[in-house]
Every structure is written in structure tokens, then in C-alpha cells.
Amino acid sequence: MTSDTTVVRYAGIDIGSRTIKLVVVDGTGAIRETFRSDTGFDPMATASELIEKAAFDRIMATGYGRNLFELSFDAPTVTEIKAHARGAWTEFPDARTVLDIGGQDSKAIALFENGRVKKFEMNDRCAAGTGKFLEIMAATLGFDLENFGAQALAAEKDLLISSMCTVFAESEVTSLIAKGEDRKEIARGLHTSVIRRAAGMINRVSSDGPIVFTGGVAKNPCMVQLLAGRLDREIRIPSDPQLAGAYGAALLAAEQEKNATLYH
Amino acid sequence: MEKVEQLLPRNTCALIKSSFGFKIGKVCPYLESADMIVGENICDGKKKAYETLGALVDNLYVMDLPQTKTDQTKALLKAEYMKFKAAVEELTGVTVTVESLKAAIDLVNAKRAAIHRLSALRKADPAPISGLDALLANQVFFYDNPARFTESVNKICDELETRIQEKTGAFPAGTPRILVSGCPQAVPNWKLHMITETAGAVIVGEESCVGERGTRNLTADTGTTVDEMMDAIVDRYFQVDCAIFTPNPQRLDHIQEMATAYNAQGVIHYGLQFCQPYLMESIPVEKALEEKNIPCLRVETDYGMEDAGQLKTRVEAFIEQLR
Ligand code: SF4
């Protein structure tokens, strides 16, 4: 667990509902190692497997499982809002807006110039507008999640899906399939409905400038294109959008230690 | 809850549903032993819910309340209060006199003054009392014997003054301070305070009807006749800046005044799901605060715990924002 080099290394672990991500940085903030694994049904067991593989001196946890991690490993925590903000801002220091769509929730964050959180919006308590929604819809339509975005992009038009509730949308999709509608067009319609919701959240926190899009859903090309088109704003994707939260937490772990040595 | 939802639509605010739960579950001794249950037409939810409650009890008295502040509506409220006075006199066989009304006004004013004293002490850093305990005092305001309540709150205040002198707080000095504004938090609703104060902040005030909005104004004690005193009671009611009034600009000012007075770094706007008046006002409140660079988090929740995890994340992120 401890790094054997003389360089101090800081880890950030992002315990999401679907995936656990771990990023290790050095004192300069450069990424040294990354790991990820499906959360599974025992998140703490998965987390400790990842920790065993990585070499670091300090760790900070984020994501919905952070409190459990804090109890099991006695580590400091940070919310996924601050962690994503920090990860995104470090890669794109001129960005003032972050959109994160993860497996279980989505959020829009406005930043101050120094990367601090100015304001944020989060989706409601259900799966609507999240990665989970897309995953269920991909399965209903018989697409691979990996290709879902590419397939949707290939459609010539959107088929309007009026329901954002996962359960209702699923039955809407089923009846569209039964009517013989084009699967790709249905797929695109579903993407559009998620984007409509995300755009609403973004508009509540900021009105212009580039948007950094983080979270696993940012890997979906259709989402990125629809978002850019709908808001007419530049969309920037981190080199590995899914790691933004863990990366931010690692940077914050380093920062926390720096402050601790400064003040004690 | 299932029983309540047989009587009221699911999308009714939790405060109303909970009062029905008290009645149906017979868990509230006051409701069960009261000779008269008084309901006021505050919002549409309550107004219509009383029609349903009326079928469950035989002693419901519904009072109409105005929603605008004009001379005409003042006259209407006065008429409602006079009618209520007559109903109470008939029920109890006791006539309201100059002496008895004056004594009652003094009694309730003393209760409010005790709460003012408690509130003023919450301005200290470290906060001498947790927001949760202070909320409980504000909630008990509605239930306890008034004289006993005044005495107990004053006792708490004596203790808090010692704590302030000794600089011992419920939380360490420098803990982020938050003002809560919005819907009333009635017993058994401690959810937001509990979540916020276990996430590393302290709540230093409630801009709420269970809190400063409800208690800040005293009834003027200048009346010399029953009629003048009734006017004073009406006047006091008209100073309350509850969201059921339209328009209601004073509330925006009061929230900002409170944020400054209590040294709060941020405001959480507390909205109960399906409460139109407060949810509607939450947007102008947020805007007004943002213009003053006071961070504001709008939450919309109910009494259930299903959203506790998500709410905790949002509150924690808000506290990080204030640090
Ligand atoms: S909280 Fe809102 S909806 Fe509920 S009773 Fe009060 S004003 Fe009505």
C-alpha cells in the first residue's frame, strides 16, 4: 500500500454506484497510476482490492460510497461535486462549468476562477437522466452500451420520447419497437431526452463559456454532440472523463496535506 | 402512511399528511383530548385537507385567513378573529375581558421574548447550542404550557450565557454557519438539521413559521379595550411575511437581515415537496441572495428518508463551498 519510492504519492478513490475508480498522483499532480473495477455487490471488498494494487501514501475518498470507505479505512472524504470540479478544472483551468453524468446521478457545477465551487444542481433521487437510464434503454433496444452512442448518432432523426422516468420510458420504447420504429431513431430520441434534462441543469448554474463534460457518459459520442448542439457551447472532454472524480480527490488529498504542513 | 394516502392525494405536502397521520394513528394527545380543533385556511393544501378532516372529527373549527395585506383583508381577519373569540367563549362559558385578554397577550409575548433571547445567543461563535436543540425549543413553543415554556427557555439561556463566557460551543469555533429558510419544520421533522449538523456545519437560525418568522413580532400591548387589543393581534398577524401572502417582498429582506445578524455564510432554502408557496418563492430568494453573494442551496424534500443519502451529499457539497 505504501509507495517504496521517495516521492510522496496521493490517491483518490471514487466509489460510484457502477464503477470504482482509483487515481494516484505525485506531489506535482501528475498521474502515476489508474485503476478501475466494477463496483459489484460488495463495494468495500472491491475497493480494498484496488488499494492493494496501488502504491500511495495518502488517500481521499469520494462518490456515493465515500462514507462507507471512511468508516472502513479511516480516510478523509470529499463530495463528488468538489472532486469532479477539481479534476475538471485542473485539466481545463479556464473552464467555469462542469457537467458530470455518472451511473447513478448527474450534476452541473459552476466554478469560480480559482476552481472552487460556486453553485451546483443535482438530479432528483431517481435514475432519470443518468448512466443507468442509458444502460437500461440500451438493453431494451438490444444495443451494446459501448456502441449505443454511435448507433444513435447514425440515426437520421429523433423519435420523441416523452417520459424521463426509467420505468415509463422503457414501456414507451417497447411500444415503439412493437410499432416497427427504427431502433437507432429511438436510441437517438432517448439520448436527446437525457440531454434536455442535462441542459436544463446547466442553464440553472451558468449561461456561457465552455463546458467540461465528465463521468462515464461523457464517453458517449452522441451525448457530446447533442449537448454541444443544444447549448451552442464548446464541450471539452477530459482525457479520461470517468476518472475526473478520482483524479480530483487525489489532488485534494495532496492539497490537504500541503495545508496541514503549512498550518501546523 | 398508506391510510393517510387513502384520504389525501400522494402529492400533498408532508406537513399536512403528517397531521393526518397524528389523527389516524391517534398518536397526538393534544388532538385526542382537545375540545376544539382549529384549522386555518393557510394554503390550498390545508384548506381542502380540512374538508376531509372535518369528516373524521366532530370538533373542527375552520378559520379563514387573508392572503393579501389591505385594509379590506384586515377587516376580514378581524371579523374572523371576533367570530373565533365568540366560539371560544361559547365553548368554555368564559367571557374574554380586558383583563383576561391583556394577561394572555402578556403571557404569549413573554414566550416570544424568551425565544428572542435564545435566538440572540445563537449569534455567538462558537454557537452555544446546536440548531437541532434550538429547533426543538421553537417546536415546543407550539405545545407547552406558555408560562412553563418561558421559564424553561430562560433557564436554557442562562446556561448558554455561561457557555458563551467560557467559549464552549456545541460545535468548535469557526464551524461553517448556516441559516435555514422556508417551510415550517414541525414535530417530528428534524431531518435537515440532523443531516446538516452531522455533515460539519451548524444551523444558527430558522427563517420559518417554526422560528423567527413566526415569533419575531410581539403583539403591541397598548390596547385598553378588548376591541383595541383584538386590533393589535390582527396587526401582529399582518406583520408575518409568510409565503401564503402575495406579494411578499419583506421576506426577502428579512432573510438577508438574518444572514447578516447571525453571521451565516450560507442559506439553505428548505422546501417541502408539493408546497407551492415556498417552492415558488425559493427561486426569487435564491436570486436575491446570489446578488448579495450569499451562497444558497435550495432543497426540496419530505419526511421520508429515501433521499437522505442524496440530500447529505448536496448539503456536504454546500458546506465545502462555504469553507
Ligand atoms: S408547508 Fe406549504 S403546502 Fe404545507 S401546509 Fe405549509 S404552506 Fe401549505
Side-chain angles (χ1 to χ4, degrees), chain A residues 66 79 116 118 123, chain B residues 290 310 316 320-321 323:
Chain A
R66 68 187 182 286
T79 63
R116 290 186 59 109
K118 185 174 174 188
N123 72 318
Chain B
E290 268 172 8
Q310 214 244 15
E316 273 180 23
E320 286 170 349
Q321 219 177 307
R323 280 218 171 94

Side-chain angles (χ1 to χ4, degrees), chain B residues 13-16 42-46 183-184 242 244 272 274-278:
Chain B
C13 103
L15 192 104
I16 297 173
I42 290 182
C43 59
D44 285 353
K46 280 202 179 172
C183 286
C242 169
I244 60 113
L272 283 171
F274 315 120
C275 169
Q276 292 255 3
Y278 281 96

